[in-house]
Amino acid sequence: MHSAQVDAYLRRLGVEHPAWPTVDVLRDLHLRHLRTVPFENLSIHLGEEIVLEEKRLLDKVVGARRGGFCYELNGAFGALLAALGYDVALLAARVYGDEERLGIPYDHLALRVRTVDGGDWLADVGFGAHSHLPLAFGERGEQKDPGGTFRIVEAQPDAAGVRGGHDTVEAADLDVIRDGRPQYRLEVRPRVLGDFVAGVWWHSTSPVSHFTRSLVCSRVTEDGGRITLSGRRFTVTGADGGRQERELGTDEEVLGVYRERFGIELGSVPTVRGSGQES
């Protein structure tokens, strides 16, 4: 990233250029990203190509003021952090699904971030409802967060009897757990952005992927809650877990919520690809 791109990204997040890549700055950037840049899968249903190249990600997230899903959001955020002086590694994960079955390889992209003041953190602005702040990567006890209680633990052998990496604790996969339920299994080996192309393709095309079957646009609110637009259903979730839902009637109302609550300008209401229906 060049300096003008960095400045534009920081303006989108509403922050000044930080003096040092510290943990306090990382925490602020992480939370502001979750509040400002929506988690959304609209490109899949709008017929927009998703390209895992730094410039294309920045053009979308910064230039077009859109959001994206994990590969795009963490890919762009990782590029920003690296440009600010953080030591950033892209990590691959497999998401736990129904009956705690693991998803495909390269199912998810998360970030391991090292700071100048000695911290080592798991940053993730692309998992939807997750931690609001980075998690201490080496901590194995409970970590309290506005998004829940988290733990990062050494994973047990998978269905093939493999713990990941080599047969050592340092290279073993890690399970990220939220409120007692496993969220995803993380590999500790660093990856590059191009490694995740197959994951993007699968999630953008497979009828089994939840991203191809429904629309979602969601972000964290200033009070620690969350707002989500799924098709025409608009949900406001409070920091205390209370929920209010309403169905939006007209196309103008739907487009207005995208614009006013998520900062996304659209010419028409997205519909689930191939169905002709909002979902």
Side-chain angles (χ1 to χ4, degrees):
M1 292 178 67
H2 54 69
S3 60
Q5 291 172 317
V6 173
D7 291 343
Y9 207 144
L10 294 174
R11 281 196 302 273
R12 169 142 208 223
L13 300 183
V15 296
E16 299 292 328
H17 198 294
W20 296 100
T22 64
V23 63
D24 286 341
V25 171
L26 175 62
R27 288 164 63 91
D28 185 46
L29 291 172
H30 195 278
L31 184 56
R32 285 176 180 268
H33 208 287
L34 290 171
R35 290 174 174 173
T36 306
V37 185
F39 178 87
E40 50 105 335
N41 68 337
L42 304 182
S43 287
I44 293 172
H45 304 286
L46 292 170
E48 299 171 348
E49 186 180 16
I50 299 172
V51 180
L52 287 191
E53 295 174 359
E54 184 177 294
K55 181 181 183 303
R56 294 288 292 270
L57 297 183
L58 296 175
D59 286 346
K60 181 178 181 181
V61 171
V62 181
R65 302 184 72 82
R66 284 280 302 278
F69 57 174
C70 70
Y71 310 104
E72 302 168 284
L73 298 181
N74 283 324
F77 189 50
L80 172 66
L81 294 177
L84 293 175
Y86 290 95
D87 181 0
V88 180
L90 309 186
L91 302 184
R94 299 173 67 189
V95 178
Y96 280 96
D98 296 337
E99 299 177 1
E100 297 188 0
R101 288 193 297 265
L102 287 167
I104 64 168
Y106 301 102
D107 204 8
H108 180 61
L109 187 163
L111 305 172
R112 182 174 186 170
V113 183
R114 293 188 171 97
T115 66
V116 292
D117 44 355
D120 192 7
W121 304 90
L122 174 64
D124 192 344
V125 296
F127 196 68
H130 197 57
S131 68
H132 293 193
L133 301 168
L135 301 173
F137 200 91
E139 173 61 51
R140 296 295 174 258
E142 290 188 349
Q143 301 188 51
K144 300 292 186 180
D145 180 271
T149 299
F150 290 81
R151 293 182 67 209
I152 302 174
V153 301
E154 181 185 337
Q156 297 301 308
D158 62 16
V162 177
R163 292 167 59 229
H166 302 87
D167 194 24
T168 64
V169 171
E170 292 77 13
D173 293 344
L174 300 172
D175 277 340
V176 179
I177 298 169
R178 176 191 181 211
D179 294 335
R181 299 187 63 180
Q183 302 295 290
Y184 53 78
R185 178 162 292 193
L186 195 67
E187 298 179 7
V188 297
R189 170 185 170 183
R191 302 288 182 175
V192 297
L193 197 56
D195 290 339
F196 296 87
V197 169
V200 171
W201 175 83
W202 190 88
H203 277 300
S204 301
T205 61
S206 172
V208 179
S209 168
H210 58 275
F211 288 116
T212 62
R213 292 182 289 166
S214 62
L215 288 158
V216 64
C217 186
S218 182
R219 69 170 179 84
V220 172
T221 54
E222 294 291 329
D223 64 357
R226 175 171 291 275
I227 55 174
T228 303
L229 181 57
S230 301
R232 291 181 179 270
R233 183 180 299 110
F234 183 57
T235 304
V236 178
T237 305
D240 60 357
R243 292 164 61 93
Q244 295 180 339
E245 295 185 0
R246 64 186 176 98
E247 291 291 325
L248 305 180
T250 66
D251 286 1
E252 289 73 17
E253 195 175 6
V254 175
L255 295 174
V257 169
Y258 276 122
R259 179 176 60 253
E260 295 161 14
R261 305 303 296 270
F262 299 99
I264 295 177
E265 290 280 357
L266 297 175
S268 60
V269 174
T271 58
V272 175
R273 187 180 59 187
S275 73
Q277 300 291 323
E278 297 93 354
S279 179

